[in-house]
Amino acid sequence: MTHHKNSETSAVMDPIASMAPIDPFAHLHDEDYLQRFDHAFATHEQLVCPGGRSTQSLDGVWHFTLDLFDEGLRQKWFEDTPTPAPQWPKPRDYDAGQGEHITIPSCWTAHHAEHANQPQRANWAYFEGGAWYTRTLHHTPNPDKPRTILHIGAANYQARIFLNGLFLGTHLGGSTPFCVELSRHLHAGDNRLQIHVDNRRERQRVPMNHFDWFNHGGIYREMQLLSLPDVFIRDASVQLKPDGTYSTLLADVTLSDAVHAQATLHIDELGIHHSVPIHAGRAQLEIAARPELWTLDAPKRYTVRWELHHANVIAHISDTHTDLIGFREIRADGQKILLNGQSIYLKGICVHEDDTLLGKVSTEADVRQRFADARALGCNFLRLSHYPHHGHVARIADELGFLLWEEIPVYWAIDFANPRTLFDARNQMLELVRRDRNRASVILWGVGNENEDSDARLAFMSDLAHSVKGLDSTRLVGAACLINREKFCIEDRLTAHIDVIGINEYFGWYEPDFCGLKKLLHASAPDKPVIISETGADAMAGHHGKPTEFYTEECQAAVYAQQIKHLEKAPYVCGMTPWLLYDFRSERRQTVFNQGFNRKGLIAEDKKTRKQAFDVLARYYRSK
Ligand code: GCB
């Protein structure tokens, strides 16, 4: 059962070319240099879910070099072995073993969690381009675990992985986890691991070059190595079948290779010890069970353990995958959303992953504070806008009993007609689904935000909706849509492909007149549940004045009060996630009030100072 030949990750060393005389100036005229790295994409299919296995952390201090002109990709810096300068065979522009340092996880545009009080590197603060991370990796071969997988929590935006001078693969997308297999290229002893990360804003990326948050750069989530047997469990999920009977579990397990094997699924607390034959690397099955349901008040979770049996000695367990899973049902029924069969009003708030010191790094303490503030606001629901947040957000939501909307940054004017953009967006979506489909808290996958209703967008986003359903049939799919301005009602062709319609509307702010909201709600007759996925107004904490004066706390509070008054009357609105919990950095906003921040938070960017509107919404949520 061996043989994990992965042709995709084989390096591109042409032996004939390497014997030819080298023209030291060739790279100056080569504008196709990126094509060398435009293959071996790490996708959701290679993602390995750690599943409770022990891992080796690669977090900590790495060598770091900014590379604004892509010299390292042009000149192949990664091929240079680190040697003392007197031994260099030719002059160099890069010295892998020297230079500056950075800590993983961190954003180069921000501080590191453990050194948040030290001054930030000023020339890194706004850097948009490529940068090199280099470190030595010591490897001791283990015959029982011959496969070594590099797992990176997130790197914004494109990462290229090099081991001992060989290009092994690349990943697109700034917020989802990905894996690259190192096995065949690892030597016993010291190896050189290099990662090139590029955070340029580009038209074909997801998000594209124009978005309303700060463009941080770097490897800002944890990085680890998994040492695994010849054949291992890549991904496993167990969910409650959403058929209204609460009596069937849907289980799905995928192995590393398309082999036949035998596994056992254990849920000890339910007395489940189910033997699972696996054909061609995959098994999907239904199991009768009556679990205690996961609810907001009692978020019960079960330990779910998969054991993979050794091919020759069935009694021998070759790999184990565990997770803590809650079982609940989420369904849309007409204009209602049902949690475990009961209609629920989603008292939500949007939140960005943004910290004035740490950028996109979310510590567990920061995430717990987010939930504590949302609880104080009376919420039962968070929209994690506009990209996948750290994986521990959904784990903590599972533990605390919160519901989540998770989404990918198909935001504004995406290059919808570009097949590469679709490949990237679809992959980000499926990586997110694979990462979080065991999380009871996640009830809704968002496929986009505020995209204009065009044919190309419809094809693109309906593809995303169907791709998600193909991997996870147990949750709702939604999108934050715009209203139809011609008919002035809730209408969007995409709604035929999704379960929940999100509506972003800013009556009282971008459109100062509330008559429009009244008209809109009256003229709309959606056939699906509607969530007001955004509404709000900017206010600078501590700035006071009349409710009619923009940027005052009074103005923001008045907008919330009016919004609530109107939305309450629309029977099909089954939840809202106003924009948003905390102020966040946005370079698009440079008034004297904004100063580089979007100020629509109910709490200032210090994550402490509450504005008046906080109480307005809290009072409403408490009354619901
Ligand atoms: C929106 C966007 C959100 C912006 C917000 C605003 O509709 O979805 O990302 O930050 O408006 O403040 O304008």
Side-chain angles (χ1 to χ4, degrees), residues 182-455:
L182 307 184
S183 320
R184 288 192 302 136
H185 306 287
L186 266 181
H187 315 147
D190 284 347
N191 295 263
R192 185 170 76 261
L193 181 60
Q194 282 168 293
I195 303 175
H196 179 265
V197 179
D198 165 4
N199 73 332
R200 283 184 186 87
R201 285 173 296 117
E202 290 181 356
R203 178 72 176 97
Q204 84 280 2
R205 290 187 169 178
V206 184
M208 40 88 75
N209 45 307
H210 186 213
F211 49 87
D212 193 33
W213 62 89
F214 191 85
N215 184 32
H216 285 289
I219 302 174
Y220 65 93
R221 289 190 191 142
E222 295 74 8
M223 193 193 296
Q224 55 209 0
L225 285 183
L226 285 124
S227 298
L228 296 166
D230 231 352
V231 172
F232 58 86
I233 298 167
R234 191 176 283 287
D235 180 23
S237 92
V238 181
Q239 330 248 1
L240 189 65
K241 186 173 180 180
D243 61 0
T245 68
Y246 316 105
S247 62
T248 308
L249 298 180
L250 301 174
D252 184 355
V253 62
T254 306
L255 302 185
S256 53
D257 301 79
V259 296
H260 299 317
Q262 192 67 38
T264 314
L265 171 63
H266 299 274
I267 309 178
D268 296 345
E269 246 189 292
L270 291 175
I272 291 177
H273 304 281
H274 203 91
S275 153
V276 182
I278 301 179
H279 301 289
R282 174 117 189 242
Q284 288 176 287
L285 61 151
E286 297 194 357
I287 300 167
R290 283 238 167 242
E292 181 188 323
L293 297 181
W294 181 95
T295 65
L296 297 184
D297 298 327
K300 167 74 187 161
R301 292 174 297 164
Y302 290 89
T303 298
V304 174
R305 188 173 82 256
W306 292 85
E307 290 172 354
L308 183 64
H309 299 283
H310 200 277
N312 306 323
V313 198
I314 215 79
H316 181 81
I317 295 161
S318 59
D319 192 25
T320 311
H321 182 287
T322 54
D323 208 343
L324 203 51
I325 307 181
F327 301 111
R328 55 95 193 95
E329 184 194 79
I330 193 79
R331 228 159 16 106
D333 183 15
Q335 294 175 339
K336 302 249 167 285
I337 293 179
L338 309 182
L339 175 65
N340 296 329
Q342 306 282 314
S343 163
I344 182 165
Y345 186 84
L346 297 168
K347 298 185 266 186
I349 190 80
C350 290
V351 62
H352 256 296
E353 188 172 58
D354 183 67
D355 187 89
T356 44
L357 284 175
L358 304 182
K360 279 178 71 62
V361 173
S362 297
T363 60
E364 184 171 335
D366 187 36
V367 173
R368 289 197 182 270
Q369 154 128 42
R370 245 173 260 173
F371 283 112
D373 286 329
R375 228 2 148 220
L377 192 59
C379 292
N380 55 20
F381 184 49
L382 288 187
R383 175 179 174 209
L384 306 183
S385 38
H386 284 297
Y387 39 74
H389 290 205
H390 194 294
H392 54 221
V393 179
R395 289 188 181 278
I396 294 172
D398 271 16
E399 170 203 318
L400 299 178
F402 257 93
L403 301 172
L404 299 177
W405 162 329
E406 294 199 337
E407 69 190 54
I408 55 161
V410 172
Y411 185 92
W412 291 350
I414 290 287
D415 193 0
F416 289 118
N418 186 336
R420 185 184 172 106
T421 306
L422 177 59
F423 164 81
D424 183 357
R426 196 195 289 129
N427 186 55
Q428 291 187 39
M429 190 79 242
L430 297 179
E431 282 172 340
L432 174 61
V433 174
R434 284 201 195 270
R435 192 193 70 180
D436 282 354
R437 67 180 165 152
N438 282 335
R439 305 281 70 82
S441 52
V442 179
I443 55 168
L444 196 149
W445 303 117
V447 295
N449 181 77
E450 286 186 357
N451 319 97
E452 218 174 39
D453 192 355
S454 68
D455 291 350

Side-chain angles (χ1 to χ4, degrees), residues 50 64 95 157 212 220 296 346 353 394 461 489 497 523 529 535 543 598 610 619:
F64 182 71
D95 191 350
Y157 179 91
D212 193 33
Y220 65 93
L296 297 184
L346 297 168
E353 188 172 58
M461 289 176 64
C489 67
H497 303 272
T535 185
H543 180 48
N598 182 311
R610 292 182 186 172
R619 242 177 283 129

